Amino acid sequence: MAKTAPKTHTLDTSNFVPSLFILTFLLVGFIPNLEAVDKIAPQWLFLSFVNLLCGAYLFYNRNYYSERFQAVLTNFMSLFYIGFVAWGAISYFYAVNPTEVLVNIVRHFNTLFMFLHLAILVYNIKDKNNLLSVAITLILAIEVYAVLNEALTMYKAGGIQSGALKGVTANRNITAFSIAIKIPYVLYLTLNNKKLIFKLFNTALIFLSLFSLSMIQSRASFVAAALIAVALLFWTLLQFKKERNIQSLTPNLFYLLPLILALTVNQIFISDKGADALSRASTISLSTNDGSVNQRLRYYADVAAHIASNPILGVGLGNWKLVSIDYDKENIKGYIVPYHAHSDFIQLGAELGIIGFLLYLGAFICAIYFAFIILFRSELNQDIKFFVFLLLTSLGVYLVDANLNFPIARPQVLAPWALTMALICYYYLQARKPKTPAKVSKAISLFPLTAIILMLPSISITHSTYESHKGQMFLLRDFNSSKFTIPMDKVDNITPDIPNITVTALPMKSIKARYYFENKKYDKALSLLNEGTSANPYVFYSENLKAQIFMKLGKIDSAFVNAKKAYFGLPNNMLHASVFAQTLNLKRDLTEVKEALKVLSPTAKKEIWLNFLIVYSGLKPSGDEDLIKYLDQMIQKYPSDKNFNSLKRNIVIGQLKINEANKISQAGLTFFNTQRYVEAGMEYEKASKIDSLEYSHFENAASAYYMAGDYGKSLLMSDKVISRFQPQTGKSEYLKALVLINLGDKTRSCELLNTALDFGYKQSEPLLKQHCK
């Protein structure tokens, strides 16, 4: 009897390895900071390694995957996206800061290859709709748990700080959209699974997700949550119209009921703890009275203006954060610059011109078109169509985020977006699958080799960026606290050369120059500052520090030139204005002082105005009408600030007369203390005629005349203080109320006592209680 050959068992990795890679991509959001100032740095490094390994796997199995390479790489969605990334790479040659292009292009390489790899790998996943939805659901459960855990800690401490609810991400907007973009996948599992326990679990997760959004209070995510509801209602109405079956509408219950419950729980238990979702939602508007809306509209207008003047090339990938400073300089107070335009699409238009904008937009239009074909022009089954509809809803959530925030910079949100795009691409290719596969070109079969080649420099640059982010943790901490804790022998090498600007867009070399300036190594500091200027020529931090160095060296003209550049570059920057005011004082140039005041915003800090006006007064000590006009504006704006009034007195009255009036006032005080109130009032009134800009002379006269029983003169003097000076101390209102009480005018006296109390004059409170019950 012939022996039967033993069976050989081989490990089937065709489903396992692709599933592992897909899951690894999706887990990128859980990579922590790892000592970096921003956790995106280690996350991009992680993606570079995953893409490299995935490319190596596909290269090893290129014969098996070659037809998929052909299908994925030659469809319009992929071609638009590849074209966009290639166009972005070309911007290296014309960018303001080419190094920043390198930092950003490798991120786009990673996002591109993540999408392409996912689109290829999903072919192998069996029961992909359920399996991938389960993976997304489990990740969402962890994210929601992290938010709820933070919220519970805050709740026990007395209140929920919505802005601090970050979960596993860097800020609340990322957390909110990382949650929202995954909800459609959970909806699919909820509606597709027939086991009650799984339906309950998934429905509960939808409720907790929406409840988390209600606490995070990202208004854009509220729009996204509403979009999901509207989209689901639209789809079910289409099904109802087709089937005429009321059960077609039941999917709405699995979203609307958790939504209603989430809002109800929010209102009952936490609305008074700082997380009132309905109140927050009521602030959603397009009104420019809303600071956030106004800021975004301003950014959009800046981008539109830039695209109009630079329609073809733009400023270079990742460079809008630099050029935007020039557009928004009137609104920048310190060094907090408009790092993002709060719309990925228009920002890319500014960076890459109309061509780059259209290529990026084209990938999304293709995705929407592909979904339309699947839903309404294909023979795919109803389960797949419903899944694709939910994919389209998830893409809609991303589009809300992309038009109000900047998810293109955040791997946490890009990973589920790339999977969504990959699945839409896959099902479109299935719907339009040709009867005979297209011949695979040799170039396309080597696609994984391209991934490997591009990921090697990508790893180098993302690693350099990660190391820089670790160093920036210390550099920026010192900068923000005006300290110098880093030893001098560590300064130069604390960050690598890439990137050459910080996460706040300040030139890295210029930040390091601070330490050399502090240690009086001026030549080295100046050398670093000259290099820093080219990295970001719009923030003018380098010029400001150079001006300070030149003042130390006694080179006043050089200090003036650099201080002027810094000031006119960012006129509302406190440090720039202060240094420029110092150089103007040394130069004694009245014309330049007037020019400086012309560009100063009315909303600039009062200290900036005061510095320039002090310099102005030193150059034009009396009688200058322009100076008096500026001082009047500031006195009107800051009535309780005595500095502006004091400066005006020096200009208009003169120090000699001020001293004379003070001497007479002192005599009045002597009379007052000896209860000679008539003589005191006369002395105070005499002082007010010499120094008519000091309200305390009038106020003291009002007090003395009241004590003397001369209510007419007391009213006259207190009225002058209230109407002319408006010091808002409450004392004059209180004095006038005392007179009116004695004259029997209860109504007006009570009004004045309330006003005095509102101004913080506590002496009015007992009288208010006694006379105004």
Side-chain angles (χ1 to χ4, degrees), residues 296-316:
R296 280 174 167 80
L297 292 176
R298 195 174 71 241
Y299 290 169
Y300 299 162
D302 291 344
V303 171
H306 184 80
I307 293 174
S309 58
N310 301 271
I312 306 300
L313 296 180
V315 298

Side-chain angles (χ1 to χ4, degrees), residues 617-635:
S617 67
L619 299 175
K620 198 80 172 179
S622 63
D624 189 279
E625 292 183 2
D626 289 336
L627 176 56
I628 294 170
K629 182 181 71 175
Y630 283 127
L631 285 167
D632 284 340
Q633 290 173 1
M634 291 300 104
I635 290 168

Side-chain angles (χ1 to χ4, degrees), residues 683-704:
E683 291 299 303
Y684 285 134
E685 193 172 0
K686 191 188 298 181
S688 72
K689 291 176 180 177
I690 296 171
D691 183 358
S692 60
L693 296 181
E694 176 53 63
Y695 75 86
S696 64
H697 297 324
F698 294 91
E699 200 166 65
N700 290 334
S703 179

Side-chain angles (χ1 to χ4, degrees), residues 10-19 57 61 65 124:
T10 59
L11 181 64
D12 181 10
T13 61
S14 62
N15 187 59
F16 173 73
V17 175
S19 299
Y57 168 77
N61 297 280
Y65 285 100
N124 286 58

Side-chain angles (χ1 to χ4, degrees), residues 322-583:
L322 309 180
V323 179
S324 66
I325 299 170
D326 191 44
Y327 283 92
D328 204 47
K329 63 185 179 183
E330 301 296 334
N331 300 289
I332 297 173
K333 296 293 192 289
Y335 290 111
I336 301 174
V337 305
Y339 204 83
H340 296 281
H342 283 271
S343 169
D344 286 342
F345 290 95
I346 65 170
Q347 179 168 321
L348 288 169
E351 293 181 345
L352 301 178
I354 292 174
I355 295 174
F357 167 77
L358 292 176
L359 287 169
Y360 187 66
L361 180 64
F364 287 86
I365 292 174
C366 283
I368 295 169
Y369 171 74
F370 286 3
F372 176 82
I373 294 298
I374 296 164
L375 296 175
F376 303 110
R377 297 288 188 272
S378 77
E379 300 299 321
L380 297 177
N381 64 51
Q382 196 61 26
D383 177 70
I384 290 175
K385 288 186 176 182
F386 181 58
F387 183 64
V388 170
F389 161 74
L390 290 173
L391 292 176
L392 186 60
T393 304
S394 184
L395 182 60
V397 171
Y398 182 87
L399 286 171
V400 171
D401 194 15
N403 279 287
L404 295 173
N405 296 305
F406 36 92
I408 200 170
R410 299 292 176 180
Q412 176 94 16
V413 181
L414 286 172
W417 167 80
L419 178 63
T420 300
M421 296 284 279
L423 286 166
I424 291 173
C425 180
Y426 167 79
Y427 279 117
Y428 172 77
L429 294 174
Q430 293 301 299
R432 291 299 178 94
K433 191 173 183 179
K435 294 181 180 179
T436 57
K439 186 177 179 180
V440 180
S441 70
K442 187 175 181 180
I444 285 186
S445 67
L446 294 176
F447 153 73
L449 190 59
T450 306
I452 294 170
I453 292 170
L454 289 175
M455 283 305 109
L456 290 174
S458 174
I459 288 173
S460 175
I461 293 172
T462 52
H463 179 262
S464 179
T465 303
Y466 167 56
E467 291 297 326
S468 177
H469 277 221
K470 289 200 294 183
Q472 287 181 53
M473 181 74 81
F474 301 98
L475 284 172
L476 293 176
R477 185 183 298 162
D478 272 5
F479 179 82
N480 292 328
S481 60
S482 298
K483 293 181 180 178
F484 301 87
T485 62
I486 303 171
M488 284 303 297
D489 60 344
K490 303 287 186 185
V491 171
D492 279 342
N493 297 318
I494 195 168
T495 58
D497 291 334
I498 298 177
N500 59 6
I501 60 173
T502 68
V503 293
T504 56
L506 288 167
M508 202 78 69
K509 301 269 189 182
S510 302
I511 293 294
K512 293 177 181 180
R514 293 178 63 241
Y515 297 87
Y516 289 97
F517 171 55
E518 177 69 11
N519 285 273
K520 298 181 172 57
K521 297 182 179 181
Y522 299 136
D523 289 341
K524 175 67 173 177
L526 288 170
S527 175
L528 289 171
L529 291 168
N530 287 332
E531 293 181 66
T533 297
S534 61
N536 186 348
Y538 298 99
V539 76
F540 295 101
Y541 174 75
S542 304
E543 286 74 12
N544 181 267
L545 195 52
K546 283 163 73 174
Q548 294 179 59
I549 292 172
F550 286 128
M551 278 197 289
K552 292 284 186 182
L553 295 172
K555 298 180 178 180
I556 306 305
D557 288 339
S558 297
F560 171 76
V561 169
N562 283 280
K564 183 176 180 179
K565 284 182 183 177
Y567 172 72
F568 282 93
L570 286 180
N572 293 317
N573 181 292
M574 184 87 171
L575 182 60
H576 292 193
S578 175
V579 173
F580 189 42
Q582 291 177 54
T583 61

